[in-house]
Amino acid sequence: MPRNRHPKSSKIIGTHSGTFQADEALGVWMLRQTKTYYDSSVIRTRDMSVLDAECDIVIDVGGTYDHFKLRYDHHQRGFEERWKKPPSSDANESYSVSKLSASGLIYRHYGRDVILELCPHLDADSIDIVYEKMYDGFMEAIDAIDTGVEIAAETAFSDATGLSSRVSRLNPRWNEDTDNAAVDQRFEVASAMCGEDFTSVLERLVYGSLPARKFVEEALLGRFDVDPSGEIMAFRAGGMPWKSHLYELEKKHGIGIDGGGGDAGPSVPLVKFVLYQDQSGMWRVQAVTVEGTAFTNRLGLPELW
């Protein structure tokens, strides 16, 4: 993936020593992608005199969140920062289920810069779209796991394959002899691993999902040519990601909002069904699910079908 390159920065990033997590490992990697902290050296310590005297920016340690002072911790009493999501269809504000971790704070303030460094061809509108989608599809899980929010009240099995688990396994075992220098080296491996996952998700989003958005919007705005109800839309071809785009574009064009209509047409019902051709040329119909659910349809197909 083409990206910007810069000279190594002389600035120093500080974070805590000891056991590391995906949280600060990812936060350090993101900072190192920006021009200001490009490839910066890292000091890992809990000695506040060293962090204050030698580090230009400090994350996940220190008990302070202050963007002006470049301090990004989330462990302090009274910390309640959450990710503010775009307005829902009812125009109500919504926030992430978990509080922000240190990497969530770094992403809040530097995420757009990171995306632009990695994808310099994107325009401002695309940056905004990718910024929100990267939080929903990648960053929120990092925040939730680090702050102890479970994915569900009850789970049928445990999963040790995710990024946070893989980073955790890079720490020395309890009965393994090691020293601080060796742990710092393992931290660098963990940080690079986090960056690989971030870049992989970003690449698929930018080069796979984002190009599909214009086709979804065209189909949405042309849905009355498919059926006068405005509740059925058709794609030229199947296989492209469309659901999250549809939900967002309905809000953008005032569809499903009382008193709406806007430039999307005179009627405002939500889209219920999507038509598309599969790879064999067969036409298929798919019900649109309620946003935020996997199996609850806005309107189900008749049982006889």
Side-chain angles (χ1 to χ4, degrees):
M1 188 162 62
R3 59 148 304 153
N4 291 330
R5 304 286 179 181
H6 305 288
K8 179 180 173 64
S9 173
S10 61
K11 293 187 179 295
I12 305 296
I13 302 170
T15 190
H16 63 80
S17 55
T19 301
F20 50 80
Q21 296 86 27
D23 176 20
E24 75 274 12
L26 175 60
V28 165
W29 180 86
M30 286 192 289
L31 286 172
R32 282 171 160 172
Q33 309 313 302
T34 67
K35 184 176 182 180
T36 302
Y37 302 101
Y38 190 80
D39 201 24
S40 285
S41 298
V42 173
I43 293 178
R44 299 183 70 242
T45 182
R46 293 187 183 274
D47 187 334
M48 289 308 301
S49 64
V50 174
L51 291 169
D52 289 338
E54 300 185 27
C55 299
D56 298 281
I57 186 170
V58 176
I59 74 169
D60 207 37
V61 66
T64 299
Y65 167 45
D66 189 325
H67 181 50
F68 181 76
K69 295 180 179 179
L70 303 180
R71 296 296 184 264
Y72 303 91
D73 196 13
H74 66 110
H75 296 99
Q76 56 273 23
R77 187 184 301 275
F79 181 87
E80 292 291 339
E81 298 294 324
R82 297 174 188 268
W83 185 265
K84 184 177 181 180
K85 300 196 173 188
S88 60
S89 58
D90 57 9
N92 290 330
E93 290 184 345
S94 61
Y95 294 84
S96 58
V97 295
S98 71
K99 300 175 186 178
L100 296 179
S101 65
S103 61
L105 292 173
I106 294 300
Y107 187 77
R108 169 190 276 181
H109 294 286
Y110 303 93
R112 285 186 173 86
D113 294 336
V114 173
I115 294 167
L116 185 58
E117 289 292 338
L118 297 175
C119 304
H121 65 285
L122 293 180
D123 59 27
D125 289 342
S126 296
I127 290 286
D128 287 342
I129 293 169
V130 172
Y131 177 69
E132 294 292 344
K133 287 185 174 294
M134 278 298 294
Y135 185 82
D136 288 343
F138 184 78
M139 292 301 307
E140 186 168 19
I142 303 296
D143 284 343
I145 291 171
D146 192 75
T147 58
V149 177
E150 298 288 351
I151 195 170
E154 295 183 7
T155 54
F157 61 91
S158 61
D159 179 18
T161 65
L163 176 59
S164 295
S165 295
R166 289 185 284 125
V167 167
S168 179
R169 287 195 294 272
L170 289 173
N171 283 285
R173 299 183 305 274
W174 70 272
N175 56 355
E176 182 178 1
D177 290 333
T178 188
D179 56 25
N180 290 338
V183 177
D184 287 348
Q185 290 178 347
R186 294 189 184 201
F187 174 82
E188 292 294 339
V189 174
S191 186
M193 177 188 294
C194 291
E196 290 174 0
D197 274 30
F198 183 100
T199 303
S200 176
V201 175
L202 178 65
E203 185 173 13
R204 191 168 186 86
L205 176 58
V206 170
Y207 295 103
S209 176
L210 194 61
R213 189 178 180 88
K214 69 174 183 178
F215 297 109
V216 177
E217 188 162 27
E218 288 174 359
L220 180 64
L221 297 180
R223 70 195 188 285
F224 289 102
D225 295 332
V226 178
D227 186 83
S229 70
E231 298 180 70
I232 303 172
M233 54 187 278
F235 295 134
R236 300 175 184 174
M240 64 181 176
W242 57 268
K243 284 188 178 181
S244 65
H245 292 311
L246 175 61
Y247 300 140
E248 294 162 3
L249 290 168
E250 284 177 327
K251 297 168 190 172
K252 173 184 174 181
H253 293 293
I255 299 172
I257 300 175
D258 291 340
D263 56 357
S267 183
V268 297
L270 293 170
V271 175
K272 306 301 190 304
F273 301 104
V274 170
L275 305 175
Y276 62 90
Q277 282 184 296
D278 62 19
Q279 293 181 338
S280 68
M282 293 284 291
W283 278 98
R284 298 188 177 275
V285 57
Q286 185 172 347
V288 179
T289 55
V290 174
E291 185 175 4
T293 70
F295 302 105
T296 303
N297 296 329
R298 289 174 171 176
L299 181 65
L301 292 167
E303 288 290 337
L304 292 177
W305 291 17

